[in-house]
Amino acid sequence: MTHPYNKNIYPGKIFHWMNDSETESATKQYFQKYYPGNGDLLAEVTRGDKNDINQAIELAKEAYKKWSQTPVVKRSEIIREAVLLMREKKQELAEIVALECGKSKKHALGEVDAAIECGFFFAGEGRRYFGEVLTSAVPNRHVEIIRQSIGVGALITPFNNPAAGVAWKLFPALVCGNAVIIKSHEDTPYVAIWYAKIFKEAGLPAGVISVLQGLGDEVGAPLVSDERVKFVSFTGSVTTGQKILKATAERLAKVSIEAGGKNPFVVCDDADIEKAVSLAVQSAFVDAGQRCAAASRIIIFNEVYDDFKKKFLEKVYTLKAGTSDEDDYGAIINGKRTNQILEAVRKAVKNGAKNLVDADNENFIIDEKYHGGYFLNPVVLENVFVDDEISQNEIFGPVVNLYRVKNLEEAIRLANRSKFKLSSAIHTKNIDRAQEFIERYEGGVVRVNGPTHGSEPHMPFGGTGLSGNGWREPGTKALDFYSDWKQVSIDYDPEKI
Ligand code: NAD
């Protein structure tokens, strides 16, 4: 299927962003970005190296001196200007997101709207950049804590939801007075460049944002290892997160890791089954399951298991993958990941899992309309053991497991069985059950009678265990990551007045 992509919006060559302009790497090498909707070459992307990193860091260090001294209200005014421009040009950004991710324009627009709201939220924070006044046991001592900027930071984002991914990090980092280097994802290289251009138009000084293109090993790893980089905000796979923690351990850099999920969706016997079915389908297959908050483990009480399963499958059969606004979800980001998902499903089936939707286990949509695109049919698995790889590892695709449990106790134990502890949902009409689950689920998000995804820009989001190391984005809690608290005490002497 050919996507009507606009060459004026999406360039054939993508560069770094340095010193307010698009810059080719001195390596003169390129890697390829393909359109997930049909496998066509979308762009050649400049392939950065250590020299580019050095240049970006020096620019950021210089720009940081002035930017960190710019009053926070002024900084937030520039953010507001940028967000107003984003709103004006949101169709353009949505087109870029749709192209890079192989999703529909409608879904891309939803993401862009959320990114814009995130921007407005942090623009407002400039006038609410409060410290705190504390008490003291010492007479005539005034004590307060104030926020201070940190310095040059690396922002590393995943490929899914690239517009929101950049927004969650960039806006709070800038309002807090830092200079940043965004390491673009290989699969979504242009979104960050688009942001940088918008910020230039909004009046952000050169060097406060740089964008580097390149591979994880060649650009991501040396960037986070550089001691001039004072903080790293990373969202992506847990494996990369662990590498970053190791690379930054010696210098104790401030590091936020937001990693994957294996999110449980619990359906009790008193749940509103129609609603639970509808939200479970949405939670499992949103963005083809390429969401950290996607539900991948549906845990159902025995009494309603068969009814739920029947209705769930009926709805799943109606799902359509594709890139039009009528489709339910889009493509898998690239061929390699598509094969990894299929491999994981095949292995699970080999280990005894039952694929309820596609008994032959051939999940590529081979309809001519989609020829060449990385589209997968939904996969619903039954008979999986709780410690199987398919139960424990994040698949990041349209794959969901169904589990049968006796009661709430078993449901909670199963929900907590994964090392990933990010989001969750419980469906029940019983407030006591809901409260018990809220207290005992060990992850960072619980939704009662809702989907597992759908956080809003002012809500702190994040997990524990392998899902994250405790920081929260976005919302006001994000300011605690992008600024450091400084304790100030002032001793005064009334005798000397
Ligand atoms: P990934 O770890 O493969 O890549 C993320 C980025 O890290 C890329 O830009 C990559 O080039 C870079 N990178 C690779 N190696 C690096 C290294 N050694 N040092 C520094 N950077 C390096 O992640 P992905 O697969 O693209 O993203 C999907 C993952 O992100 C999923 O696990 C998903 O659950 C997670 N995610 C989490 C959240 C959250 O808020 N918790 C949100 C969205 C996605």
Side-chain angles (χ1 to χ4, degrees):
M1 178 194 175
T2 307
H3 192 284
Y5 49 79
N6 182 345
K7 285 283 173 196
N8 297 325
I9 288 176
Y10 208 89
K13 281 198 170 178
I14 298 176
F15 301 109
H16 299 314
W17 181 264
M18 285 206 240
N19 211 9
D20 263 359
S21 56
E22 288 170 87
T23 318
E24 187 189 26
S25 170
T27 64
K28 304 276 179 206
Q29 289 183 19
Y30 285 81
F31 65 91
Q32 287 72 40
K33 162 65 191 163
Y34 298 96
Y35 173 51
N38 65 6
D40 276 2
L41 181 68
L42 198 54
E44 301 273 354
V45 187
T46 201
R47 185 166 164 178
D49 72 354
K50 279 188 179 169
N51 294 326
D52 302 324
I53 295 171
N54 187 47
Q55 201 184 332
I57 294 178
E58 285 307 315
L59 283 167
K61 271 181 69 184
E62 198 49 40
Y64 171 71
K65 289 180 195 158
K66 276 199 181 150
W67 180 244
S68 56
Q69 295 307 313
T70 305
V72 61
V73 173
K74 178 72 192 153
R75 295 198 298 255
S76 66
E77 279 168 6
I78 292 176
I79 293 176
R80 189 175 57 203
E81 270 318 299
V83 183
L84 288 169
L85 285 167
M86 277 179 78
R87 192 166 65 179
E88 205 179 299
K89 301 182 186 193
K90 70 178 190 177
Q91 298 293 338
E92 196 178 298
L93 180 57
E95 186 77 15
I96 292 165
V97 169
L99 279 173
E100 291 198 328
C101 298
K103 62 169 94 168
S104 70
K105 181 84 180 289
K106 183 174 89 179
H107 288 148
L109 256 180
E111 179 192 332
V112 168
D113 282 336
I116 290 168
E117 285 310 317
C118 181
F120 281 126
F121 177 81
F122 283 106
E125 284 306 284
R127 289 190 184 270
R128 286 187 296 268
Y129 202 64
F130 305 136
E132 289 174 30
V133 175
L134 280 67
T135 54
S136 169
V138 178
N140 302 324
R141 173 172 285 179
H142 170 87
V143 184
E144 60 185 22
I145 51 171
I146 54 173
R147 292 188 186 277
Q148 61 177 0
S149 58
I150 304 175
V152 174
L155 309 184
I156 307 183
T157 54
F159 66 82
N160 66 314
N161 307 120
V166 171
W168 279 28
K169 298 185 186 306
L170 182 61
F171 293 127
L174 293 184
V175 83
C176 292
N178 305 293
V180 298
I181 297 164
I182 304 174
K183 192 292 184 191
S184 267
H185 198 285
E186 297 87 320
D187 284 304
T188 54
Y190 194 55
V191 164
I193 301 286
W194 190 88
Y195 269 97
K197 286 180 170 175
I198 289 283
F199 267 100
K200 177 182 177 181
E201 206 177 327
L204 186 77
V208 176
I209 299 179
S210 296
V211 180
L212 292 176
Q213 311 291 350
L215 310 185
D217 289 348
E218 294 173 1
V219 172
L223 176 64
V224 301
S225 302
D226 196 298
E227 61 179 17
R228 293 168 293 177
V229 172
K230 303 296 178 200
F231 68 95
V232 179
S233 174
F234 171 79
T235 303
S237 67
V238 65
T239 320
T240 307
Q242 287 159 338
K243 285 185 192 166
I244 292 174
L245 282 173
K246 283 179 192 151
T248 51
E250 204 156 315
R251 67 183 199 277
L252 296 186
K254 197 171 185 182
V255 179
S256 167
I257 303 292
E258 297 286 354
K262 193 76 190 173
N263 307 300
F265 185 109
V266 175
V267 183
C268 299
D269 54 1
D270 62 337
D272 174 341
I273 295 293
E274 310 293 331
K275 184 178 172 191
V277 163
S278 168
L279 292 176
V281 170
Q282 274 180 38
S283 301
F285 300 109
V286 57
D287 286 338
Q290 297 169 110
R291 276 271 185 108
C292 57
S296 46
R297 296 183 296 144
I298 305 188
I299 299 168
I300 310 145
F301 277 34
N302 190 31
E303 289 80 355
V304 290
Y305 185 92
D306 293 331
D307 187 30
F308 178 91
K309 177 177 142 183
K310 180 170 164 282
K311 290 176 175 149
F312 184 77
L313 286 174
E314 275 166 14
K315 210 162 177 73
V316 166
Y317 280 122
T318 69
L319 292 177
K320 281 190 295 166
T323 54
S324 83
D325 284 351
E326 285 67 50
D327 292 315
D328 297 288
Y329 62 80
I332 303 302
I333 195 71
N334 59 42
K336 186 174 167 204
R337 283 182 189 258
T338 308
N339 285 326
Q340 284 169 348
I341 295 166
L342 287 175
E343 206 38 56
V345 174
R346 286 193 189 111
K347 198 165 173 195
V349 170
K350 217 169 144 199
N351 288 342
K354 191 170 164 202
N355 185 341
L356 297 175
V357 182
D358 182 355
D360 298 331
N361 214 28
E362 286 303 328
N363 298 292
F364 274 112
I365 295 178
I366 42 176
D367 185 314
E368 210 162 85
K369 187 173 131 197
Y370 297 110
H371 186 71
Y374 313 121
F375 295 96
L376 290 182
N377 275 324
V379 177
V380 182
L381 298 175
E382 211 180 26
N383 288 351
V384 294
F385 291 104
V386 292
D387 292 325
D388 278 354
E389 282 180 29
I390 198 83
S391 285
Q392 291 297 325
N393 297 345
E394 184 190 43
I395 305 297
F396 222 54
V399 181
V400 67
N401 307 336
L402 306 187
Y403 304 84
R404 189 192 286 266
V405 291
K406 284 200 287 291
N407 52 31
L408 187 66
E409 183 58 35
E410 206 183 323
I412 293 174
R413 262 193 276 128
L414 185 49
N416 283 330
R417 186 77 170 233
S418 166
K419 287 182 182 158
F420 290 102
K421 295 176 194 294
L422 189 54
S423 189
S424 66
I426 179 165
H427 281 249
T428 177
K429 297 193 188 85
N430 182 325
I431 191 171
D432 304 308
R433 283 175 168 178
Q435 190 58 34
E436 182 75 2
F437 187 81
I438 291 168
E439 280 179 23
R440 289 176 56 197
Y441 177 61
E442 294 165 1
V445 179
V446 175
R447 300 195 187 286
V448 178
N449 296 328
T452 50
H453 63 299
S455 201
E456 295 174 39
H458 58 290
M459 299 177 183
F461 179 83
T464 61
L466 290 187
S467 294
N469 65 343
W471 295 103
R472 292 291 179 266
E473 287 182 345
T476 44
K477 304 291 181 227
L479 300 180
D480 289 339
F481 178 74
Y482 292 100
S483 66
D484 283 332
W485 284 111
K486 179 181 280 176
Q487 189 213 101
V488 181
S489 72
I490 303 168
D491 290 353
Y492 54 94
D493 186 350
E495 300 289 316
K496 293 196 176 140
I497 290 171

